[in-house]
Each structure stands twice: as C-alpha cells, then as structure tokens.
Amino acid sequence: MQRQSSEILCHATAMLMDATCRIATDMYISYEVIPVYRGRMIDATAHLDRLDYSLGELRIAPPMGRRALELVIAQLIARNGLTNGLVYMQVTRGVAPRDHKFPKDVASALVMTTKQTKSLPPSLLETGVAVITRPDIRWQRRDIKSVSLLPNILAKQEASEQGGYEAWLVDEQGLITEGSSTNAWIVNHGRDGEAGEIVTRPRSHDILSGITRLAVIALAKERNLRLVERAFSAAEASAAAEAFLTSSSAFVLPVTQIDGKPVGSGKPGPLTLRLRQIYLQHAEQAV
Ligand code: PLP
C-alpha cells in the first residue's frame, strides 16, 4: 500500500516535469476503460482480458492478480458511488529513471479513476452524429490499447472543430479502419426486401478490438442478423443504408452524415436503433 502511494506521488511529481518518472516522458503505458451501468461493469471480463493482452504485447507485468484487481475495481466503484460512467485504468511499466531500455526489477504501477457520465442527449439519438474521414497515420499495432494516442486526438479534434462527433480513419487502400476512439460500422441496402447486411472491419493489428464491438457481433449473431466482418471503403460507407459507431462510452450510436453528406435517409437507421436497444438490454443484464 505504502509503495503504491509513493508511486502515485511520483507520477504527480512527473507532471511537474520531474524526469525521474516515466509517466510524463514515455509511452510505456497501457490503459483500459470499463463502462459502468447502474453500478455494475459491462463486460468486465472482456475488458480485463484486453488489458492483459495489451500488457503482454508491451511486456509490462500485470500490477496484481485478476481476482485482486476485480475486488479493487469493485471497491473503487462503491466508494465513489459510481452509478453510470467509466472506470479508467492506466498501467505503467513502473517508476524508473528515464531511458528507452526497459528498467530492471521495477514493479508495474496502476492508477485508476472513475468518472460519472450523463446519458447521451436524446437529440443525439434522434439526429445521429456526423463523422469526417481522415487518413489513418497511426502505427501498425492499433490492437494494443496504449496511451500513444496523438493521431487519434488530432483527428478527433479536427472532427470536433468541424461540428462532427468522430473521425473515421482511412488506410492506404482507402478502407476505413475505425474511428479515433470508436469502431466503425455500416449496414448495406438489403436486396429484394431482405434486411441489410451489417458490416464491420475484422479483428487484426489494424484496429482496436472494441469490447462493445465484440458484444454487438455476438448479440447480432445470436439473433441471426446478417453480419459480415470485412473492410469497407469510405465510398461504400457514404452509399450505405445506415452507419453507426460503437464504444464503451457511446454504446451504439447512429452516424447520419459522413463528410457532410447524409447516410441513407439522413436519419438513424432502424437496424442501428434495434442494435442499440439490444445492447442496452445486454447492459441491463449486467445489473
Ligand atoms: N477504437 C479505438 C481506437 C478506441 O480507442 C476505442 C475505445 O477507446 C474503441 C475502438 C472502442 O472500444 P470499446 O468498445 O472497447 O470502448
């Protein structure tokens, strides 16, 4: 306990540009964001599995065992009286003098915070949101959840300055990878009265495997909805019947405009709204 608080103090000092801590100077940090709905975490196991995966890829030791971590998170939620919001966790390689090489014999350090969030304004769900497309200039291991988020932040800021909610990032082949902090989806026009096909990019090093994305795929498959995991272009997205994005904070959110042009009818699509309802039911089941 004593050691943990001195690490936190050291991190605070680092914010004042004391270069003895890695946190201010390096990117050796993995993080995870777990949504909390009515006081209970949604898909906690999948989030903690992803944290383990990212830590493994970055060769950072887990800060504590899984059961202990679950208990600490539950305590944090209870003591902060968190009902609806997010648990934010950040794991650094540890406290050591700044150096590009990994330090030896250093324990990883964990910092966790909670954030109470308001539900999305109903108007956002009524109108849907606008996205812009931007080149994906990130590194090639986007599957690792790390705080190296500069390209994501710059793209999101640009979207915001243009009145949009998100930037969808486009790779060198002209295919959308994902949003700056969300996964990207479209629904194609169904033929001969058939429901449209739900499309999202498959899991690979090219995207962060969103936990909301995984849940929506599983929920759609359980209901025999037509779904395919394949990459799609910005042009295909613009011509789609519906579009939406998923994330732990937005859940399933309709996208009704891409680069200033309406998607489909320009209103949230029926399948998107159905998937949002299905996801909310899934969240309720965690309660
Ligand atoms: N893609 C990126 C780049 C993200 O940063 C996030 C969330 O932070 C997501 C997708 C969505 O992931 P999740 O559904 O686990 O929140």
Side-chain angles (χ1 to χ4, degrees), residues 231-243:
F232 57 88
S233 67
E236 188 180 354
S238 296
E242 303 179 29

Side-chain angles (χ1 to χ4, degrees), residues 1 23 54 90 107 208 228 265 270:
M1 232 23 201
I23 194 165
S54 296
Q90 200 167 283
L208 182 77
V228 58
S265 67

